[in-house]
Amino acid sequence: MRSFLSPTVPWGRPSVPDIPLPPFATADDHRRYLRMLALHVALIDDGAPSLSTKILCELLGRSWPQKPVESGDLTRLELQVSLASFFPAPWTPAALSQALTGLGRQDVPRGYDTGKWDWGYDPDFTATPLAAGGWEIERHERGSR
């Protein structure tokens, strides 16, 4: 078991508290999220953005809401790019679970209302909050714990 106390995304980068999270209250919040995501994706490349990065940023730009957001949620593409690129949004377990559930995913963390998270997928995880802050996370996969 490992205890995670750091509010950082992979590579030790801190999360950015100014990034709005879904469900978005306004279309402007959604657009801001997507502009910041596109910039993040463009900055991942060394030097000038590659052709594939330019195409991905164009796809993200086309998904920017042109009218008020009805559901306030991310699209599947927006969420997949956010997670795959380690976008430093200030996700909480509840917000991430809600975003995944909004896409109709069945393999989402459950049980936050009980104070403990369970992700019964392969691998499965159990996360228990620590009194000092942070989480104790137990991972189980094919006989290893």
Side-chain angles (χ1 to χ4, degrees), residues 39-82:
L39 177 61
H40 170 76
V41 168
L43 292 174
I44 290 174
D45 283 341
D46 290 329
S50 66
L51 178 59
S52 58
T53 297
K54 291 176 184 178
I55 292 168
L56 182 56
C57 288
E58 175 65 21
L59 289 172
L60 289 171
R62 289 179 185 215
S63 71
W64 292 0
Q66 301 301 316
K67 58 184 180 179
V69 180
E70 291 180 17
S71 71
D73 293 327
L74 293 171
T75 66
R76 183 173 301 280
L77 173 69
E78 294 163 0
L79 184 58
Q80 287 176 328
V81 171
S82 298

Side-chain angles (χ1 to χ4, degrees), residues 66-143:
Q66 301 301 316
K67 58 184 180 179
V69 180
E70 291 180 17
S71 71
D73 293 327
L74 293 171
T75 66
R76 183 173 301 280
L77 173 69
E78 294 163 0
L79 184 58
Q80 287 176 328
V81 171
S82 298
L83 297 177
S85 69
F86 300 110
F87 184 51
W91 292 105
T92 62
L96 182 57
S97 178
Q98 183 177 355
L100 290 168
T101 302
L103 293 178
R105 300 270 311 247
Q106 301 300 315
D107 60 333
V108 299
R110 305 271 187 228
Y112 186 71
D113 54 341
T114 65
K116 180 177 175 179
W117 281 94
D118 290 307
W119 189 317
Y121 204 59
D122 187 21
D124 63 70
F125 294 86
T126 301
T128 308
L130 299 173
W135 297 83
E136 180 174 74
I137 300 174
E138 184 177 345
R139 178 176 180 250
H140 174 257
E141 180 177 21
R142 298 183 186 114

Side-chain angles (χ1 to χ4, degrees), residues 15-22 24 29 32-34 36-37 87-90:
S15 61
V16 178
D18 293 340
I19 298 173
L21 289 178
F24 301 107
D29 284 347
R32 183 162 188 246
Y33 181 97
L34 293 175
M36 294 173 89
L37 177 60
F87 184 51

